[in-house]
Amino acid sequence: MSRPITVLFSARDPGAVGHALALIDAFQQDRRFEVSVTASGVALRMLQDTGLIVRPFSLPDGREYLADPKGDTTPLLAAARQVLDEVRPDAVITALSSFGVGVDEALLATAEEPTFAMQDFWGDVNLGLKVPAGLYMTLDEEAVRLTMERWSARALAVGSPKHSRYVGLDTAAVRRDVRASIGVNDLDPLVGFFGQPPDIPGHEAAFRGLLGAMTRLVPQPRLLLREHPKFIQHAERHVALAEQAGLTVIDVTAESSVERWLVGCDAVATPYSACALDHAYLSAFSPEPIGVALYLLCNPEIRAFMRDACGFDRFPTVKKGIGLVAESPGAILPLLQDALTPESRAAYFQASKRLRVGDPCRTVMETVATSIMATVQAGEGGAC
């Protein structure tokens, strides 16, 4: 092509912003590409906060997505078509969101150009509009296998663009600064709970189980609470429950950056939030141990929901020794005690070094460029 390749990026889920930012930055620095970005919801605000010029996406009635894809999707598809007509991209790279349908799914459903989707979770595909991406770019080969087996979709392992940004991060300094800012010294145990949608079956029982275990530890840890960015309204209720149990609570739900709080904790507890993967990569890039992830899959309801939503009931990283899994309420206390030991932190640290790192942004750029050139050549061939 004699002109730059125009790539349209989209996002609506906050968990996808890290991948989007890493890729957008890499594409903007490569003269082969021109970049345009559209987003909605929390993702829009997060991208704009970095200074990016972002085209806001919404339906004519102001909604940012449709909770029920079985309803009338005509306005959503029309809004996506308008963006494509105005940008006229050569390729579209979307993020992924598991709930409802919005800008990402609508662009995949309407674009005639080559489409790509960047997964931030193993095998994650949203077929609410029944049109998959032309290629799903995944974290690793396990994610490729899950994507192909569950959805019969094309996939390529590229690594994690978002986590490549951790190269050179001084995690030790971040940890010191974070703990000092909340009055926690090196000897004070700090357990973080990183929430997910509370309507996930078993989620609230898992949170209460964690509180019960923490009250039995000596010395008693402080609880650092960070709700899912889409469900911040539940922070007040969770703080009240923790305080009623006698715990000291530090609520950082309003903070935008999750990484610094992950680094600051001695144990990171969550049912199965993707932020646990962030923690694993922070450990992988760290020169010293930072903590341990503890998955609260401690009741049949939450495991069944995870299995249905994800195709598995424990992170593939756990198979590599990266993280502990509580499969019953009674397992939380001993595993939390274990997670807070230097030996457990060291083992988690060593296991995290086995994560795939590489240069995922470069892999994505070359994949997109190769696809576009193949499309152009095929078009030229058809015209001869």
Side-chain angles (χ1 to χ4, degrees), residues 7-8 10 81 84 89-95 103-118 131-137 154-155 364 367-368 371-372 375:
V7 180
L8 173 64
S10 73
R81 183 72 262 169
L84 291 167
D90 298 297
V92 175
I93 301 179
T94 75
V103 59
D104 302 322
E105 297 75 28
L107 287 173
L108 295 180
T110 54
E112 298 178 358
E113 301 79 11
T115 59
F116 307 83
M118 184 67 230
V131 181
L135 181 69
Y136 287 88
M137 297 176 291
R154 293 180 61 233
V364 172
T367 299
V368 172
S371 176
I372 297 303
T375 301

Side-chain angles (χ1 to χ4, degrees), residues 31-379:
R31 293 183 179 180
R32 292 176 297 172
F33 302 100
E34 285 187 354
V35 170
S36 184
V37 185
T38 185
S40 64
V42 178
L44 170 63
R45 295 187 289 276
M46 292 173 68
L47 290 168
Q48 289 177 328
D49 285 347
T50 68
L52 272 176
I53 297 174
V54 186
R55 178 188 303 263
F57 180 90
S58 65
L59 280 71
D61 61 6
R63 286 180 297 172
E64 295 171 338
Y65 72 103
L66 300 178
D68 183 6
K70 297 178 182 178
D72 182 13
T73 60
T74 304
L76 174 65
L77 297 173
R81 183 72 262 169
Q82 181 177 348
V83 172
L84 291 167
D85 289 342
E86 293 173 356
V87 176
R88 300 183 65 188
D90 298 297
V92 175
I93 301 179
T94 75
L96 281 162
S97 181
S98 300
F99 298 97
V101 290
V103 59
D104 302 322
E105 297 75 28
L107 287 173
L108 295 180
T110 54
E112 298 178 358
E113 301 79 11
T115 59
F116 307 83
M118 184 67 230
Q119 286 186 355
D120 58 5
F121 200 83
W122 294 270
D124 192 15
V125 172
N126 184 334
L127 289 183
L129 295 179
K130 297 182 171 45
V131 181
L135 181 69
Y136 287 88
M137 297 176 291
T138 75
L139 298 169
D140 53 28
E141 295 297 339
E142 178 69 8
V144 169
R145 182 187 67 78
L146 284 165
T147 303
M148 296 176 67
E149 286 184 1
R150 296 186 70 204
W151 311 105
S152 299
R154 293 180 61 233
L156 173 70
V158 300
S160 178
K162 170 184 179 178
H163 299 116
S164 65
R165 299 179 303 144
Y166 297 166
V167 174
L169 178 66
D170 189 345
T171 52
V174 172
R175 182 177 171 85
R176 287 194 303 270
D177 291 346
V178 165
R179 293 173 76 93
S181 73
I182 56 178
V184 177
N185 65 43
D186 288 342
L187 299 179
D188 292 333
L190 181 64
V191 175
F193 178 77
F194 293 78
Q196 293 179 252
D199 58 353
I200 291 177
H203 181 279
E204 297 302 274
F207 178 66
R208 291 191 297 271
L210 175 67
L211 299 184
M214 290 178 64
T215 62
R216 298 170 62 187
L217 288 177
V218 179
Q220 188 179 95
R222 301 187 198 186
L223 174 68
L224 183 139
L225 175 69
R226 190 177 191 277
E227 301 288 355
H228 190 287
K230 289 184 178 179
F231 301 92
I232 60 175
Q233 68 272 22
H234 296 282
E236 184 176 353
R237 177 171 55 83
H238 284 157
V239 168
L241 284 172
E243 289 179 341
Q244 288 168 14
L247 296 171
T248 299
V249 187
I250 303 162
D251 181 14
V252 298
T253 295
E255 301 288 335
S256 59
S257 174
V258 68
E259 283 89 353
R260 62 194 306 263
W261 303 111
L262 291 168
V263 171
C265 292
D266 298 303
V268 169
T270 183
Y272 61 94
S273 170
C275 74
L277 182 63
D278 298 340
H279 184 267
Y281 273 98
L282 285 163
S283 178
F285 284 106
S286 175
E288 60 186 45
I290 58 171
V292 175
L294 172 60
Y295 298 96
L296 303 174
L297 298 170
C298 48
N299 53 71
E301 294 81 11
I302 202 165
R303 290 196 298 275
F305 186 88
M306 181 183 182
R307 196 159 43 242
D308 183 61
C310 307
F312 52 84
D313 59 8
R314 63 178 55 201
F315 274 26
T317 47
V318 172
K319 300 175 183 177
K320 301 177 181 179
I322 309 173
L324 305 173
V325 181
E327 294 189 326
S328 68
I332 299 176
L333 177 58
L335 287 175
L336 185 57
Q337 287 176 313
D338 184 24
L340 293 172
T341 64
E343 294 79 10
S344 186
R345 289 173 59 190
Y348 181 93
F349 173 70
Q350 292 299 327
S352 71
K353 300 301 180 181
R354 295 196 286 269
L355 286 171
R356 176 179 182 141
V357 181
D359 189 351
C361 292
R362 174 59 54 186
T363 302
V364 172
M365 287 192 294
E366 297 309 321
T367 299
V368 172
T370 299
S371 176
I372 297 303
M373 294 311 300
T375 301
V376 170
Q377 292 170 2

Side-chain angles (χ1 to χ4, degrees), residues 21-30 33 361-362 365:
L21 284 173
L23 289 171
I24 289 167
D25 182 61
F27 274 75
Q28 286 179 328
Q29 293 184 42
D30 192 313
F33 302 100
C361 292
R362 174 59 54 186
M365 287 192 294

